[in-house]
Amino acid sequence: MHKLSRSNRDKVQQFVAITGASEKNALQTLKASDWQLEAAFDVFYSQPQPRSNADVRRLEELYNRYKDQYSDMILADGISVLCTDLQVEPQDIVTLVLSWHMNAATACEFSREEFVGGLQALGVDSIKKLQEKLSFMRSELKDEQKFHEIYNFAFGWAKEKGQKSLALDTAIGMWQLLFAEREWPLVNHWCDFLQDRHNKAISKDTWEQLLEFARTVDPSLSNYDAEGAWPYLIDEFVEYLYDKSVVEK
Amino acid sequence: MDHGDGSVVLLERHSVQAAREGLITDAKDSPPSLLLSSQKMYRETIIDFEQGCKCLEAGVSELKRILEEETTSETLIDPKQYLELYTTIYNMCIQKHPHDYSQRLYNKYRDIVEHYAKKTVLPSIQQKHDEYLLRELSRRWGHYKVFVKWLSHFFNYLERFFISQRNQPPLLEVAMKSFRDRVYLEVQVSAKDVVIALIHKEREGEQIDRELLKNVLDVFVQSGMGTIERYKEDLEMFLLEETESYYARKASSWIQECSCPEYMIKSEESLKKEKERVTHYLHSSTESKLVEIVQDILLVSVEKHLLEKEHSGCSALLRDDKIDDLSRMYMLYHPIPKGLEPVADAFRVHVTREGNALIKQAQDAAANGSFVEAQLLVGKIIDLHEKYMVYVMGCFKNHAFFHKALKEAFEVFCNKKVGGSYGPELLANFCDSLFKKSGNDKLSDEAMEATIDNVIKLLDYISDKDIFAEFYRKKLARRLLFDHHKVNKEHETSMITKLKRQQGGQYTSKMEGMVTDMQLAKEFQKGFKGSLTKKPGGIDLAVTVLTTIHWPSYKKSTDLNLPREMVQCVEAFNSYYQSITTARKLSWIYSLGTCHVIGSFDPKPIELVLSTYQAVVLCLFNDTERLTCQEIIEQLNLSHEDLVRVLISLSCAKYRILNKEPASKSIATTDVFEFNSKFTDTMRRIKVSIPPPSMEEREKVVEDVDRDRRYAIDACIVRIMKSRKVLPHQQLVAQCAEQLSRMFKPDIKMIKKRIEDLMARDYLERDAEDHHIFKYVA
């Protein structure tokens, strides 16, 4: 907010007062409409409204239950309590799906907007309702398209703040978790290969292309094209598989 | 004017015209008689058909009789009789219905020629055999043509009016058709056999009557009635078949019996003869087919066998400098599509083998510890290149295939490693020793320029041109800094100019910068000298100020503890420099410095030319008698490695200015050194050389080049993507490799890595739909 001019700041406050939208949302909408209030209202009201059968007041209460003592965030401790309430293990993959629904920027953290907005979008306003949703969320992993989104989301979610790439240990953990849902026979070889030959962080491109590789390239590598645009690391992996005679040429 | 008058006028005109066309030589007295007779005829009564035919047949018999006699005179038919015939036919044509006999006359004409062909021409030919058959055919064909010509004169009116109005086939066509059907079709098979037999005789070296063949072949051509189909189907086809089997027999025996040059001479001769054959008697359209068959059989089908003949094939010809034979080979295979490729390939293989032999020789020598061969190698490769360039320009007529073959051959062995050195490094070393040559070894300016040109040519074959540039720059730096008295500036500039012309300005900008730096440094030194009121520290100080980016990266050595006098020098210069400019930062590189020191030895004082490091070490002994290696390191803050090199040069090499305890060839940190005051030499001035850390240097060059390549690839990818915006992976890699190949052969893996790096830095992204496609992120 500090970067805005006085008139724009006024507009944001006006927008929030009228629509009841969050400041972030107001800012985005106003920016997108070139700071024209009228136009921004049009945009705002023409957007599909989040399902409102989740009571905002009750969600706020829920948020406050898990919120960190010192900052306006749910941190690791809060999440641990949340997991206990939901009767799931913190490393259960369903927490990733939940984070994806909340569009959480980082693992083990929810901001107020993420938490409230996410639950609102899911249409739940109590732990009990959320718990009932868990099996639905697990089923979402079986959906090819959603799995793809969740997989790509996981990279940004799992990496350290401010880093461009994902630490190798975290990456391997995530892969083990994700590919448990979606079978890929080479996943253990991949992880061994990385620890053996690479031992460095994983770039976003490599992360995303790996799923593409797992999806499109046959485990016997019969349709692998060495001239293709696969990341360098995946090419090396293929050579490694041949070297180790995991796959016959 | 009544109708009759008009006809007369018309008649007159045509008669005159007929007379003019009808070979009547005596034109003077014919018009009156013509007019007379025609007027008479008009007035006379109608001529009936039988009567006219009688007159016509009399004329035809006369004509036949004359032809049989073979008279040579120009006028066969008496003009009077001719005129009478013409007029009779004319009249028969213009009589009013039912006396208009045009159609019947036309049929009569057909009967006459048919009869002549069938009853006179054909039987006389069929009586004869072999060559006589051809003679008769040729003779009778001549008669028939004359016969038809005269008939066409008689029937001229019919031709011009009746035929053109009724769209009937013209008289000549009718006659030719008769000949074809009645004579040609009957005799062509036997005639063809005789013709082919005669041609075979001629191929075997006998004399034959070419004129006769020419005439007979004319029958074949003319019988096609305006096309050459008959000639093609009835004769040419068989001739070509015969030719094929004839030369197939020849080829299989020649290739066994003859050497490659002999075979080529025979082939050349055969081709020439076949072409002559066409000009003498065959139809011109046959030439290309005949030549193609002969080329195909004699040259193409045996090409591999011929070129690879063990003692006389292409390789042997190249080995033995058979310029004529090689030129012949080029001339023979040049016109054949894809004929030259195998020749060029044989050339490439031969040159590659020669080059590899040179490399092998040098590699073996290097493996045995002798690097002399490696130094001579570049010179030998240049000689090899000159030798084969002569072939390309001479025997092979500057043909692009051979340029390519030569290039491919040289690319193979110019990029090989010899004794741990890359091709580009060897070439740079060659240049270095070339420019450092002095005294008797010195080349004339012309020879120098020629050698430079050759080096530039060889550089073209080197795939890692950037490595050459890096090594060359290193060597150039040493020449400019340490051997400037030997360096011929013109030669250096000439080399750089030529490099620039071939490789572009970017390639040489640093080298040019180095040369310019040396000049500016001289000016700067003058200014510095002028500003001094007294020598700082009692030393004549000369400083060469260089621009960092132009020069190879040197280790900056500011933390060396210099002797007091030298510190004064450095300070004096620093303050002068700051008075000139504040925008630039000076960093001193002592490792490149040279010092002249007077050594006060007991026998006599000697001037020592030393590196700054050596001088600094020696100066320590002004104050102390004995020092251990460890002490020297501590006092000077010099690295152990550098100090070892210095101490070896001062105590274990050619000149022993320091005594070492124990007196071994290697340096340990505990060794003790003292000044050798007994040292002397015949010279009054000696240069104590210090070996450069060579292995390290090579690794550094490779490292520097590697870094520069990463930048170059990044820049190239961004440049391509900036203009193309969206590009599939393979195309991007291919374009990038192609653009960079001017400078070096980029590793595809490296390009891939750089693409990924650029993606991580948000210059590129993958297409959301197709992960093989990259998009430029503006």
Side-chain angles (χ1 to χ4, degrees), chain A residues 47-236:
Chain A
Q47 280 169 348
Q49 288 293 308
R51 272 185 279 168
S52 50
N53 51 356
D55 187 337
V56 180
R57 198 174 43 78
R58 293 183 64 180
L59 286 172
E60 290 285 339
E61 275 170 24
L62 214 49
Y63 172 75
N64 288 331
R65 175 174 149 73
Y66 300 114
K67 186 179 96 68
D68 189 71
Q69 245 180 302
Y70 305 105
S71 59
D72 189 13
M73 289 280 244
I74 300 177
L75 296 181
D77 292 344
I79 287 177
S80 151
V81 177
L82 176 64
C83 288
T84 317
D85 289 354
L86 289 170
Q87 293 169 341
V88 295
E89 291 293 319
Q91 58 269 42
D92 190 317
I93 192 162
V94 83
T95 58
L96 172 63
V97 185
L98 182 61
S99 302
W100 173 64
H101 278 291
M102 293 184 178
N103 199 13
T106 317
C108 299
E109 272 183 27
F110 294 126
S111 73
R112 177 189 294 266
E113 280 149 27
E114 285 164 1
F115 186 83
V116 175
L119 292 186
Q120 224 169 9
L122 277 166
V124 293
D125 55 8
S126 70
I127 286 299
K128 194 162 172 299
K129 283 184 187 166
L130 184 56
Q131 212 169 6
E132 284 163 6
K133 275 272 174 193
L134 289 179
S135 63
F136 164 73
M137 286 195 257
R138 283 187 209 283
S139 74
E140 284 184 300
L141 286 163
K142 299 295 168 207
D143 181 308
E144 179 88 358
Q145 183 55 38
K146 282 187 180 164
F147 181 80
H148 194 170
E149 281 177 35
I150 294 167
Y151 177 92
N152 284 352
F153 164 81
F155 180 84
W157 179 74
K159 76 177 168 57
E160 293 276 327
K161 260 188 209 166
Q163 292 286 325
K164 286 209 143 185
S165 43
L166 184 57
L168 185 61
D169 290 345
T170 323
I172 288 176
M174 291 304 295
W175 272 316
Q176 300 282 16
L177 201 62
L178 283 159
F179 283 112
E181 295 300 317
R182 194 188 175 287
E183 207 182 325
W184 182 45
L186 297 173
V187 65
N188 287 328
H189 291 297
W190 168 249
C191 295
D192 290 349
F193 157 74
L194 291 175
Q195 279 164 332
D196 196 16
R197 304 278 176 93
H198 182 60
N199 220 2
K200 277 187 213 129
I202 299 297
S203 75
K204 186 162 188 283
D205 185 57
T206 307
W207 175 268
E208 290 180 357
Q209 291 305 306
L210 186 77
L211 180 63
E212 189 72 21
F213 183 81
R215 269 180 5 165
T216 58
V217 176
D218 187 275
S220 70
L221 304 180
S222 59
N223 58 346
Y224 164 76
D225 176 12
E227 307 274 292
W230 297 115
Y232 165 74
L233 209 51
I234 291 183
D235 287 338
E236 298 269 288

Side-chain angles (χ1 to χ4, degrees), chain B residues 51-68:
Chain B
Q51 192 188 343
C53 280
K54 215 182 241 170
C55 172
L56 188 58
E57 263 157 22
V60 170
S61 315
E62 173 69 8
L63 193 56
K64 286 181 183 168
R65 191 189 55 77
I66 298 170
L67 283 172
E68 285 304 313

Side-chain angles (χ1 to χ4, degrees), chain B residues 250-269:
Chain B
K250 287 290 167 199
S252 63
S253 72
W254 290 347
I255 196 80
Q256 299 298 333
E257 295 158 11
C258 307
S259 69
C260 171
E262 287 164 353
Y263 186 96
M264 289 193 295
I265 290 171
K266 281 184 192 290
S267 304
E268 192 181 34
E269 191 67 13

Side-chain angles (χ1 to χ4, degrees), chain B residues 505-522:
Chain B
Q506 212 190 341
Y507 193 76
T508 51
S509 67
K510 286 183 178 176
M511 300 174 198
E512 286 170 294
M514 286 160 75
V515 174
T516 323
D517 266 1
M518 289 309 285
Q519 213 135 20
L520 294 179
K522 231 181 251 171

